């Protein structure tokens, strides 16, 4: 047994059946190996056209060689197809991931990459006249080792089945025309993707520029939505780029104002004033210019005056007339070091409040509430330190994501080995 099979076997012992719209997704031990299966719900499988729908989807996807598409083999009994055997791999639903590790949404690129994968693949499906219909968190799968997106059954193959029965419990993620017998097309997927986007941003807060995208995508009237998923994606990218351009413009104005202010401040003044000994600067000039290592050592212990001084020096030195690329790298390194140390120290305390034996064995409602609070606090901490240190937002986001992941894994490793799943099952028994 190789390492990947060992991990999969370990995880399978903790995995119970996970409910999806079509059936229960679970692992079954066959000849010493765990295989993936979906056992269809009786109320779905009993429909007269269900077996034909499964076969039609199987035939349509056989030649569709995209990694995002999971393939399957129908299992047929005397009464028709009752289950499907899904291709080998270790998969979890988005719902499971967010329950197990809610801080994942605070990692800079996770949401962007997830939405990008979903939209690109959905566009390819739509080109083949295939529509997923329901992007509920329980109907979007991820490969566990790298969290890349996977999709399984697509709703457009199952239109003849009672849609109220098929999507029971996840109705909020399905466009209204699906239940009223209306046309299912790319606008249907646009609606569901908009609902999915709002859901995964729920704990961290939907960015202002994306609120417009979600509002248009989830319009009740299909004609008021984006006509295709590709159009929706381009709108997202344009609005995001516009926000970044605006942020850079504001930063440039602030820096220019600081330089102008410095110019007038340095002009000789005719006023005669009483001599007052100046307050000692929190960071000596010679330290700013020469002793980088000493400044790096300040790290998380730096007070607000120290950080403010560094920020002002950074603003001034960004003037292209007076700063070399080498100096800019030095100042950016100082800002990054302070951000890293202060974020690590504060984030450790925040994450410890959720990832501990007592909290992980508390009720699901309590855990979710704590997790949501943790995510909000981490996001706020990142924003505050990014502004304070004048660090590039994308760079700050990457550092924060790395620190959160490392701290989370460290906390999990320090807890009881059976903190998740097994212990709870024993307690329930």
């Amino acid at each position: 047994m190789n390492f990947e099979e060992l991990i999969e076997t370990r995880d399978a012992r903790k995995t119970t059946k996970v409910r999806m719209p079509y059936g229960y997704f679970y692992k079954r031990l066959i000849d010493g190996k765990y295989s993936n299966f979906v056992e269809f719900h009786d109320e779905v499988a009993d429909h007269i056209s269900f077996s034909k729908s499964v076969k039609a989807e199987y035939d349509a996807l056989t030649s569709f060689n995209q990694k995002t598409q999971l393939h399957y083999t129908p299992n047929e009994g005397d009464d028709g197809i009752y289950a499907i055997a899904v291709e080998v791999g270790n998969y979890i639903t988005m719902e499971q991931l967010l329950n197990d590790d809610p801080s994942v949404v605070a990692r800079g690129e996770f949401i962007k990459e997830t939405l990008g994968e979903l939209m690109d693949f959905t566009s390819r499906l739509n080109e083949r006249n295939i529509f997923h219909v329901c992007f509920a968190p329980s109907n979007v799968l991820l490969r566990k080792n790298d969290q890349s997106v996977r999709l399984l059954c697509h709703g457009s193959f199952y239109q003849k089945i009672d849609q109220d029965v098929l999507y029971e419990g996840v109705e909020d993620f399905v466009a209204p025309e699906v239940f009223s017998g209306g046309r299912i097309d790319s606008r249907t997927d646009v609606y569901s993707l908009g609902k999915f986007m709002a859901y995964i941003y729920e704990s961290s807060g939907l960015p202002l520029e994306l609120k417009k995208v979600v509002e248009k995508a989830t319009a009740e009237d299909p004609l008021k939505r984006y006509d295709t998923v590709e159009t929706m994606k381009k709108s997202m990218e344009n609005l995001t780029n516009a926000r970044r351009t605006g942020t850079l413009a504001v930063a440039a104005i602030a820096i220019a104002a600081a330089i102008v202010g410095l110019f007038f401040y340095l002009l000789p003044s005719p006023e005669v004033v009483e001599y007052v000994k100046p307050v000692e600067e929190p960071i000596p000039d010679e330290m700013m210019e020469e002793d980088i290592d000493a400044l790096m050592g300040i790290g998380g212990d730096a007070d607000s005056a120290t950080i403010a001084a560094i920020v002002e020096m950074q603003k001034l030195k960004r003037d292209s007339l007076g700063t070399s690329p080498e100096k800019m790298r030095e100042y950016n390194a100082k800002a990054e070091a302070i951000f890293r140390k202060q974020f690590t120290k504060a984030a450790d305390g925040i994450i410890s409040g959720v990832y501990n034996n007592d909290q992980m064995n508390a009720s699901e409602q309590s855990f979710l509430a704590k997790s949501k609070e943790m995510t909000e606090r981490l996001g706020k901490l990142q924003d505050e330190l990014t502004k304070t240190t004048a660090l590039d937002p994308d760079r700050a986001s990457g550092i924060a994501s790395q620190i959160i992941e490392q701290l989370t894994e460290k906390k999990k490793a320090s807890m009881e080995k059976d903190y998740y799943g097994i212990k709870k099952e024993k307690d329930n028994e």
Side-chain angles (χ1 to χ4, degrees):
M1 179 181 294
N2 60 33
F3 180 75
E4 185 174 351
E5 290 173 336
L6 178 65
I7 294 297
E8 185 172 345
T9 301
R10 181 202 66 184
D11 290 341
R13 295 194 188 103
K14 299 187 295 185
T15 302
T16 55
K17 291 183 177 180
V18 178
R19 183 181 176 87
M20 300 180 74
Y22 308 90
Y24 287 101
F25 183 87
Y26 67 101
K27 292 182 182 294
R28 181 189 298 175
L29 184 62
I30 300 177
D31 296 331
K33 293 185 177 181
Y34 282 94
S35 300
N36 299 308
F37 281 86
V38 173
E39 181 180 322
F40 294 120
H41 302 308
D42 290 340
E43 60 271 25
V44 174
D46 287 344
H47 194 280
I48 190 171
S49 67
F50 182 74
S51 291
K52 291 182 180 179
S53 299
V54 175
K55 290 180 179 178
E57 182 177 43
Y58 169 76
D59 292 337
L61 297 178
T62 298
S63 60
F64 195 30
N65 297 319
Q66 294 285 332
K67 68 174 185 178
T68 309
Q69 177 63 57
L70 286 178
H71 293 85
Y72 63 80
T73 302
N75 285 9
E76 191 167 5
D78 295 336
D79 297 325
I81 296 174
Y82 64 92
I84 54 176
V86 183
E87 67 179 74
V88 176
N90 199 6
Y91 309 108
I92 59 174
T93 65
M94 175 64 76
E95 186 175 52
Q96 285 177 291
L97 175 65
L98 295 181
N99 285 337
D100 181 32
D101 186 11
S103 67
V104 70
V105 296
R107 298 172 193 166
E109 297 300 314
F110 173 74
I111 294 181
K112 179 181 177 181
E113 290 176 358
T114 299
L115 290 175
E117 284 187 84
L118 273 178
M119 289 183 165
D120 288 343
F121 181 64
T122 303
S123 293
R124 294 190 183 97
L125 287 174
N126 292 174
E127 289 171 359
R128 290 173 167 248
N129 206 34
I130 298 173
F131 309 100
H132 193 63
V133 179
C134 178
F135 288 93
S138 60
N139 201 34
V140 174
L141 293 163
L142 303 168
R143 198 168 71 162
K144 197 166 186 180
N145 65 339
D146 61 4
Q147 296 175 350
S148 56
V149 173
R150 297 291 186 272
L151 294 181
L152 188 54
C153 297
H154 304 295
S156 56
F157 288 100
Y158 303 91
Q159 296 181 53
K160 295 182 180 180
I161 298 169
D162 188 337
Q163 303 293 279
D164 291 307
V165 172
L166 183 62
Y167 299 115
E168 182 181 2
V170 291
E171 298 92 340
D172 288 346
F173 294 90
V174 180
E177 65 268 16
V178 174
F179 301 109
S180 61
R183 176 183 173 85
I184 292 179
D185 57 17
S186 57
R187 296 175 191 268
T188 307
D189 279 350
V190 164
Y191 180 95
S192 191
L193 281 168
K195 289 289 187 177
F196 178 82
M197 186 189 305
Y199 177 87
I200 60 177
Y201 271 111
E202 185 176 25
S203 59
S204 60
L206 186 66
L208 181 62
E209 68 273 10
L210 295 186
K211 286 184 179 180
K212 295 180 180 179
V213 175
V214 170
E215 288 175 1
K216 183 175 177 64
T218 57
E220 291 289 310
D221 183 354
L223 295 178
K224 293 182 179 180
R225 302 174 200 154
Y226 297 103
D227 57 344
T228 66
V229 174
E230 184 64 26
T231 304
M232 178 182 176
K233 184 182 178 185
K234 287 181 179 178
S235 178
M236 283 176 54
E237 292 172 346
N238 291 338
L239 288 170
T240 301
N241 291 336
R243 177 186 64 82
R244 289 178 178 172
T245 302
T247 301
L248 290 174
V250 171
I253 293 172
I255 293 171
I259 294 173
V260 172
L262 179 65
F263 170 77
F264 284 105
Y265 175 76
L266 294 177
L267 284 176
S269 173
E271 291 187 44
V272 178
V273 296
E274 182 181 353
Y275 173 75
V276 179
K277 183 179 179 180
V279 177
E280 184 179 351
E281 289 293 332
I283 303 178
D285 287 342
E286 62 270 17
M287 184 177 176
M288 291 293 293
E289 297 292 342
E290 300 174 3
D291 196 354
I292 299 173
D293 292 335
L295 182 58
M296 296 278 276
I298 290 175
D301 298 325
D303 58 21
S304 58
T306 300
I307 296 174
I310 292 174
V311 172
E312 289 305 312
M313 290 295 291
Q314 284 182 311
K315 287 181 179 179
L316 296 177
K317 294 302 181 180
R318 281 174 184 165
D319 181 2
S320 60
L321 296 177
T323 306
S324 66
E326 291 75 15
K327 281 295 180 185
M328 281 305 304
R329 284 194 289 270
E330 291 177 9
Y331 287 112
N332 286 334
K334 295 171 188 177
E336 182 176 319
I338 292 176
F339 178 92
R340 187 180 294 276
K341 289 191 177 183
Q342 290 201 337
F343 187 86
T344 299
K345 182 178 180 181
D348 183 70
I350 294 172
I351 295 174
S352 295
V354 174
Y355 286 93
N356 56 69
N357 289 324
D358 292 337
Q359 187 59 44
M360 293 300 287
N361 284 302
S363 68
E364 181 179 357
Q365 184 177 4
S366 174
F367 175 71
L368 291 177
K370 284 285 187 181
S371 298
K372 182 177 181 180
E373 180 186 355
M374 176 189 72
T375 303
E376 292 173 349
R377 291 178 64 190
L378 288 172
K380 185 177 180 181
L381 173 65
Q382 178 184 321
D383 290 341
E384 290 175 350
L385 287 179
T386 301
K387 293 176 183 178
T388 303
T389 59
L391 193 62
D392 177 74
D394 290 336
R395 180 58 180 158
S397 178
I399 294 172
S401 298
Q402 181 186 55
I403 292 172
I404 290 171
E405 184 172 3
Q406 291 173 348
L407 289 175
T408 301
E409 293 302 318
K410 182 180 178 181
K411 299 300 178 186
K412 287 182 179 180
S414 67
M415 290 186 286
E416 300 173 13
K417 292 182 179 179
D418 63 348
Y419 78 92
Y420 180 73
I422 297 177
K423 183 171 182 178
K424 287 187 177 180
E425 291 174 3
K426 290 181 179 178
D427 291 342
N428 292 336
E429 291 175 359

